[in-house]
mmCIF file of all heavy atoms in Angstrom:
data_model
loop_
_atom_site.group_PDB
_atom_site.id
_atom_site.type_symbol
_atom_site.label_atom_id
_atom_site.label_comp_id
_atom_site.label_asym_id
_atom_site.label_seq_id
_atom_site.Cartn_x
_atom_site.Cartn_y
_atom_site.Cartn_z
ATOM 1 N N ASP A 494 7.586 25.945 -5.049
ATOM 2 C CA ASP A 494 7.714 27.158 -4.247
ATOM 3 C C ASP A 494 8.545 26.946 -2.991
ATOM 4 O O ASP A 494 8.809 27.900 -2.253
ATOM 5 C CB ASP A 494 6.326 27.670 -3.838
ATOM 6 C CG ASP A 494 5.441 27.931 -5.037
ATOM 7 O OD1 ASP A 494 5.881 28.675 -5.929
ATOM 8 O OD2 ASP A 494 4.329 27.381 -5.090
ATOM 9 N N ALA A 496 12.058 25.996 -1.825
ATOM 10 C CA ALA A 496 13.446 25.792 -2.231
ATOM 11 C C ALA A 496 14.200 25.061 -1.130
ATOM 12 O O ALA A 496 13.867 25.166 0.058
ATOM 13 C CB ALA A 496 14.108 27.130 -2.532
ATOM 14 N N ARG A 668 20.650 27.431 0.510
ATOM 15 C CA ARG A 668 20.533 28.890 0.546
ATOM 16 C C ARG A 668 20.517 29.474 -0.860
ATOM 17 O O ARG A 668 19.791 30.438 -1.128
ATOM 18 C CB ARG A 668 21.677 29.493 1.365
ATOM 19 C CG ARG A 668 21.605 29.175 2.844
ATOM 20 C CD ARG A 668 22.512 30.091 3.651
ATOM 21 N NE ARG A 668 23.914 29.935 3.301
ATOM 22 C CZ ARG A 668 24.732 29.044 3.826
ATOM 23 N NH1 ARG A 668 24.279 28.185 4.733
ATOM 24 N NH2 ARG A 668 26.002 28.987 3.467
ATOM 25 N N GLU A 669 21.302 28.913 -1.738
ATOM 26 C CA GLU A 669 21.313 29.403 -3.118
ATOM 27 C C GLU A 669 19.959 29.190 -3.782
ATOM 28 O O GLU A 669 19.446 30.066 -4.496
ATOM 29 C CB GLU A 669 22.413 28.689 -3.912
ATOM 30 C CG GLU A 669 22.578 29.220 -5.327
ATOM 31 C CD GLU A 669 23.718 28.544 -6.076
ATOM 32 O OE1 GLU A 669 24.457 27.752 -5.444
ATOM 33 O OE2 GLU A 669 23.862 28.799 -7.285
ATOM 34 N N GLU A 670 19.331 28.029 -3.544
ATOM 35 C CA GLU A 670 18.016 27.756 -4.118
ATOM 36 C C GLU A 670 16.953 28.678 -3.516
ATOM 37 O O GLU A 670 16.061 29.165 -4.221
ATOM 38 C CB GLU A 670 17.644 26.290 -3.881
ATOM 39 C CG GLU A 670 18.532 25.305 -4.622
ATOM 40 C CD GLU A 670 18.194 23.863 -4.281
ATOM 41 O OE1 GLU A 670 17.179 23.647 -3.575
ATOM 42 O OE2 GLU A 670 18.925 22.955 -4.699
ATOM 43 N N ILE A 671 17.043 28.908 -2.215
ATOM 44 C CA ILE A 671 16.074 29.801 -1.561
ATOM 45 C C ILE A 671 16.220 31.222 -2.088
ATOM 46 O O ILE A 671 15.228 31.912 -2.366
ATOM 47 C CB ILE A 671 16.265 29.763 -0.034
ATOM 48 C CG1 ILE A 671 15.897 28.382 0.510
ATOM 49 C CG2 ILE A 671 15.431 30.836 0.648
ATOM 50 C CD1 ILE A 671 16.259 28.174 1.961
ATOM 51 N N LEU A 672 17.456 31.680 -2.251
ATOM 52 C CA LEU A 672 17.691 33.014 -2.796
ATOM 53 C C LEU A 672 17.148 33.135 -4.215
ATOM 54 O O LEU A 672 16.633 34.186 -4.605
ATOM 55 C CB LEU A 672 19.190 33.328 -2.766
ATOM 56 C CG LEU A 672 19.788 33.623 -1.388
ATOM 57 C CD1 LEU A 672 21.318 33.626 -1.462
ATOM 58 C CD2 LEU A 672 19.294 34.962 -0.855
ATOM 59 N N ALA A 673 17.263 32.058 -4.988
ATOM 60 C CA ALA A 673 16.756 32.086 -6.359
ATOM 61 C C ALA A 673 15.237 32.257 -6.385
ATOM 62 O O ALA A 673 14.693 32.960 -7.250
ATOM 63 C CB ALA A 673 17.156 30.795 -7.082
ATOM 64 N N VAL A 674 14.550 31.642 -5.437
ATOM 65 C CA VAL A 674 13.091 31.780 -5.362
ATOM 66 C C VAL A 674 12.707 33.208 -5.008
ATOM 67 O O VAL A 674 11.831 33.819 -5.632
ATOM 68 C CB VAL A 674 12.509 30.787 -4.333
ATOM 69 C CG1 VAL A 674 11.034 31.082 -4.069
ATOM 70 C CG2 VAL A 674 12.679 29.365 -4.822
ATOM 71 N N HIS A 675 13.369 33.773 -4.008
ATOM 72 C CA HIS A 675 13.003 35.112 -3.540
ATOM 73 C C HIS A 675 13.561 36.223 -4.428
ATOM 74 O O HIS A 675 13.148 37.385 -4.282
ATOM 75 C CB HIS A 675 13.495 35.311 -2.108
ATOM 76 C CG HIS A 675 12.837 34.401 -1.116
ATOM 77 N ND1 HIS A 675 11.478 34.356 -0.936
ATOM 78 C CD2 HIS A 675 13.361 33.487 -0.253
ATOM 79 C CE1 HIS A 675 11.172 33.464 -0.004
ATOM 80 N NE2 HIS A 675 12.301 32.925 0.429
ATOM 81 N N ALA A 676 14.490 35.892 -5.313
ATOM 82 C CA ALA A 676 15.074 36.908 -6.201
ATOM 83 C C ALA A 676 14.357 36.995 -7.548
ATOM 84 O O ALA A 676 14.777 37.773 -8.409
ATOM 85 C CB ALA A 676 16.560 36.599 -6.439
ATOM 86 N N LYS A 677 13.274 36.233 -7.725
ATOM 87 C CA LYS A 677 12.575 36.232 -9.011
ATOM 88 C C LYS A 677 12.044 37.603 -9.379
ATOM 89 O O LYS A 677 12.098 38.014 -10.535
ATOM 90 C CB LYS A 677 11.425 35.208 -8.963
ATOM 91 C CG LYS A 677 11.885 33.761 -9.020
ATOM 92 C CD LYS A 677 10.696 32.807 -8.975
ATOM 93 C CE LYS A 677 11.151 31.365 -9.034
ATOM 94 N NZ LYS A 677 10.001 30.418 -8.948
ATOM 95 N N ASN A 678 11.507 38.312 -8.415
ATOM 96 C CA ASN A 678 10.932 39.631 -8.699
ATOM 97 C C ASN A 678 11.849 40.781 -8.289
ATOM 98 O O ASN A 678 11.417 41.918 -8.169
ATOM 99 C CB ASN A 678 9.589 39.781 -7.982
ATOM 100 C CG ASN A 678 9.730 39.655 -6.474
ATOM 101 O OD1 ASN A 678 10.720 39.134 -5.986
ATOM 102 N ND2 ASN A 678 8.727 40.125 -5.747
ATOM 103 N N LYS A 679 13.142 40.466 -8.063
ATOM 104 C CA LYS A 679 14.116 41.490 -7.689
ATOM 105 C C LYS A 679 15.027 41.788 -8.886
ATOM 106 O O LYS A 679 15.374 40.884 -9.663
ATOM 107 C CB LYS A 679 14.976 41.025 -6.499
ATOM 108 C CG LYS A 679 14.186 40.556 -5.274
ATOM 109 C CD LYS A 679 13.545 41.700 -4.553
ATOM 110 C CE LYS A 679 13.000 41.304 -3.193
ATOM 111 N NZ LYS A 679 12.060 40.179 -3.206
ATOM 112 N N VAL A 680 15.435 43.035 -9.025
ATOM 113 C CA VAL A 680 16.360 43.443 -10.101
ATOM 114 C C VAL A 680 17.745 43.573 -9.479
ATOM 115 O O VAL A 680 18.049 44.549 -8.789
ATOM 116 C CB VAL A 680 15.916 44.775 -10.729
ATOM 117 C CG1 VAL A 680 16.859 45.149 -11.866
ATOM 118 C CG2 VAL A 680 14.476 44.683 -11.218
ATOM 119 N N LEU A 681 18.607 42.584 -9.724
ATOM 120 C CA LEU A 681 19.943 42.552 -9.142
ATOM 121 C C LEU A 681 20.968 43.071 -10.135
ATOM 122 O O LEU A 681 20.819 42.906 -11.358
ATOM 123 C CB LEU A 681 20.316 41.126 -8.720
ATOM 124 C CG LEU A 681 19.398 40.448 -7.689
ATOM 125 C CD1 LEU A 681 19.848 39.015 -7.451
ATOM 126 C CD2 LEU A 681 19.393 41.223 -6.383
ATOM 127 N N ALA A 682 22.018 43.682 -9.604
ATOM 128 C CA ALA A 682 23.114 44.142 -10.461
ATOM 129 C C ALA A 682 23.836 42.946 -11.071
ATOM 130 O O ALA A 682 23.792 41.826 -10.545
ATOM 131 C CB ALA A 682 24.078 45.002 -9.650
ATOM 132 N N ILE A 685 26.394 40.648 -9.043
ATOM 133 C CA ILE A 685 25.922 39.864 -7.897
ATOM 134 C C ILE A 685 25.544 38.471 -8.363
ATOM 135 O O ILE A 685 24.730 38.305 -9.275
ATOM 136 C CB ILE A 685 24.709 40.537 -7.223
ATOM 137 C CG1 ILE A 685 25.105 41.887 -6.637
ATOM 138 C CG2 ILE A 685 24.126 39.647 -6.126
ATOM 139 C CD1 ILE A 685 23.966 42.638 -5.999
ATOM 140 N N THR A 686 26.144 37.474 -7.748
ATOM 141 C CA THR A 686 25.800 36.080 -8.029
ATOM 142 C C THR A 686 25.220 35.458 -6.769
ATOM 143 O O THR A 686 25.721 35.675 -5.664
ATOM 144 C CB THR A 686 27.034 35.276 -8.486
ATOM 145 O OG1 THR A 686 28.024 35.299 -7.439
ATOM 146 C CG2 THR A 686 27.626 35.870 -9.753
ATOM 147 N N LEU A 687 24.157 34.703 -6.941
ATOM 148 C CA LEU A 687 23.492 34.079 -5.795
ATOM 149 C C LEU A 687 24.387 33.058 -5.109
ATOM 150 O O LEU A 687 24.273 32.835 -3.903
ATOM 151 C CB LEU A 687 22.185 33.420 -6.252
ATOM 152 C CG LEU A 687 21.129 34.359 -6.848
ATOM 153 C CD1 LEU A 687 19.894 33.577 -7.259
ATOM 154 C CD2 LEU A 687 20.758 35.443 -5.847
ATOM 155 N N LYS A 688 25.304 32.465 -5.865
ATOM 156 C CA LYS A 688 26.214 31.480 -5.277
ATOM 157 C C LYS A 688 27.131 32.138 -4.252
ATOM 158 O O LYS A 688 27.328 31.619 -3.141
ATOM 159 C CB LYS A 688 27.040 30.818 -6.377
ATOM 160 C CG LYS A 688 27.920 29.673 -5.887
ATOM 161 C CD LYS A 688 28.595 28.984 -7.048
ATOM 162 C CE LYS A 688 29.429 27.796 -6.558
ATOM 163 N NZ LYS A 688 30.095 27.097 -7.693
ATOM 164 N N LEU A 690 26.557 34.981 -2.774
ATOM 165 C CA LEU A 690 25.710 35.489 -1.696
ATOM 166 C C LEU A 690 25.355 34.374 -0.715
ATOM 167 O O LEU A 690 25.281 34.607 0.495
ATOM 168 C CB LEU A 690 24.442 36.110 -2.292
ATOM 169 C CG LEU A 690 23.525 36.866 -1.322
ATOM 170 C CD1 LEU A 690 24.294 37.945 -0.588
ATOM 171 C CD2 LEU A 690 22.347 37.467 -2.076
ATOM 172 N N ALA A 691 25.143 33.171 -1.227
ATOM 173 C CA ALA A 691 24.842 32.033 -0.354
ATOM 174 C C ALA A 691 26.038 31.696 0.534
ATOM 175 O O ALA A 691 25.872 31.311 1.700
ATOM 176 C CB ALA A 691 24.442 30.822 -1.195
ATOM 177 N N GLY A 699 15.540 30.371 5.894
ATOM 178 C CA GLY A 699 14.830 30.828 4.706
ATOM 179 C C GLY A 699 14.168 32.172 4.922
ATOM 180 O O GLY A 699 14.172 33.031 4.038
ATOM 181 N N LEU A 702 16.809 34.929 4.740
ATOM 182 C CA LEU A 702 17.237 35.223 3.371
ATOM 183 C C LEU A 702 16.192 36.057 2.636
ATOM 184 O O LEU A 702 16.533 36.978 1.886
ATOM 185 C CB LEU A 702 17.503 33.917 2.618
ATOM 186 C CG LEU A 702 18.678 33.084 3.138
ATOM 187 C CD1 LEU A 702 18.710 31.729 2.458
ATOM 188 C CD2 LEU A 702 20.005 33.812 2.921
ATOM 189 N N GLU A 703 14.926 35.736 2.843
ATOM 190 C CA GLU A 703 13.862 36.540 2.229
ATOM 191 C C GLU A 703 13.899 37.966 2.761
ATOM 192 O O GLU A 703 13.742 38.935 2.012
ATOM 193 C CB GLU A 703 12.512 35.880 2.526
ATOM 194 C CG GLU A 703 11.341 36.454 1.731
ATOM 195 C CD GLU A 703 10.729 37.684 2.379
ATOM 196 O OE1 GLU A 703 10.869 37.828 3.611
ATOM 197 O OE2 GLU A 703 10.133 38.519 1.652
ATOM 198 N N ASN A 704 14.122 38.092 4.061
ATOM 199 C CA ASN A 704 14.212 39.419 4.673
ATOM 200 C C ASN A 704 15.441 40.171 4.178
ATOM 201 O O ASN A 704 15.397 41.396 3.985
ATOM 202 C CB ASN A 704 14.256 39.271 6.193
ATOM 203 C CG ASN A 704 14.120 40.596 6.908
ATOM 204 O OD1 ASN A 704 13.456 41.513 6.431
ATOM 205 N ND2 ASN A 704 14.761 40.715 8.056
ATOM 206 N N LEU A 705 16.535 39.454 3.954
ATOM 207 C CA LEU A 705 17.763 40.069 3.446
ATOM 208 C C LEU A 705 17.529 40.726 2.088
ATOM 209 O O LEU A 705 17.880 41.901 1.875
ATOM 210 C CB LEU A 705 18.860 39.007 3.352
ATOM 211 C CG LEU A 705 20.140 39.387 2.605
ATOM 212 C CD1 LEU A 705 20.879 40.486 3.345
ATOM 213 C CD2 LEU A 705 21.045 38.178 2.423
ATOM 214 N N LEU A 706 16.936 39.989 1.144
ATOM 215 C CA LEU A 706 16.696 40.547 -0.187
ATOM 216 C C LEU A 706 15.668 41.670 -0.144
ATOM 217 O O LEU A 706 15.770 42.649 -0.895
ATOM 218 C CB LEU A 706 16.222 39.440 -1.132
ATOM 219 C CG LEU A 706 17.271 38.384 -1.507
ATOM 220 C CD1 LEU A 706 16.674 37.350 -2.441
ATOM 221 C CD2 LEU A 706 18.486 39.037 -2.160
ATOM 222 N N ASN A 707 14.677 41.560 0.726
ATOM 223 C CA ASN A 707 13.672 42.612 0.835
ATOM 224 C C ASN A 707 14.291 43.901 1.390
ATOM 225 O O ASN A 707 14.011 45.003 0.899
ATOM 226 C CB ASN A 707 12.534 42.147 1.736
ATOM 227 C CG ASN A 707 11.408 43.149 1.802
ATOM 228 O OD1 ASN A 707 10.776 43.468 0.800
ATOM 229 N ND2 ASN A 707 11.150 43.666 2.994
ATOM 230 N N ALA A 709 17.407 44.753 1.124
ATOM 231 C CA ALA A 709 18.275 45.286 0.068
ATOM 232 C C ALA A 709 17.464 46.052 -0.973
ATOM 233 O O ALA A 709 17.878 47.118 -1.448
ATOM 234 C CB ALA A 709 19.053 44.146 -0.589
ATOM 235 N N ALA A 710 16.282 45.520 -1.324
ATOM 236 C CA ALA A 710 15.425 46.205 -2.291
ATOM 237 C C ALA A 710 14.932 47.536 -1.734
ATOM 238 O O ALA A 710 14.882 48.552 -2.445
ATOM 239 C CB ALA A 710 14.243 45.307 -2.659
ATOM 240 N N ILE A 721 19.594 46.530 -7.498
ATOM 241 C CA ILE A 721 20.125 46.225 -6.176
ATOM 242 C C ILE A 721 21.606 45.907 -6.315
ATOM 243 O O ILE A 721 21.980 44.931 -6.971
ATOM 244 C CB ILE A 721 19.377 45.030 -5.544
ATOM 245 C CG1 ILE A 721 17.885 45.343 -5.414
ATOM 246 C CG2 ILE A 721 19.959 44.694 -4.173
ATOM 247 C CD1 ILE A 721 17.059 44.158 -4.950
ATOM 248 N N ILE A 726 23.297 44.958 -0.599
ATOM 249 C CA ILE A 726 23.328 43.599 -0.036
ATOM 250 C C ILE A 726 24.117 43.589 1.272
ATOM 251 O O ILE A 726 23.692 42.991 2.269
ATOM 252 C CB ILE A 726 23.933 42.610 -1.041
ATOM 253 C CG1 ILE A 726 23.037 42.460 -2.284
ATOM 254 C CG2 ILE A 726 24.177 41.256 -0.390
ATOM 255 C CD1 ILE A 726 21.742 41.742 -2.034
#
Side-chain angles (χ1 to χ4, degrees):
D494 303 306
R668 292 196 298 273
E669 185 177 353
E670 294 176 7
I671 293 171
L672 287 168
V674 170
H675 295 303
K677 286 180 180 178
N678 60 341
K679 307 288 192 305
V680 182
L681 301 176
I685 296 178
T686 60
L687 298 180
K688 186 174 182 180
L690 188 55
L702 294 171
E703 191 275 335
N704 189 31
L705 169 66
L706 291 180
N707 185 62
I721 301 173
I726 294 290

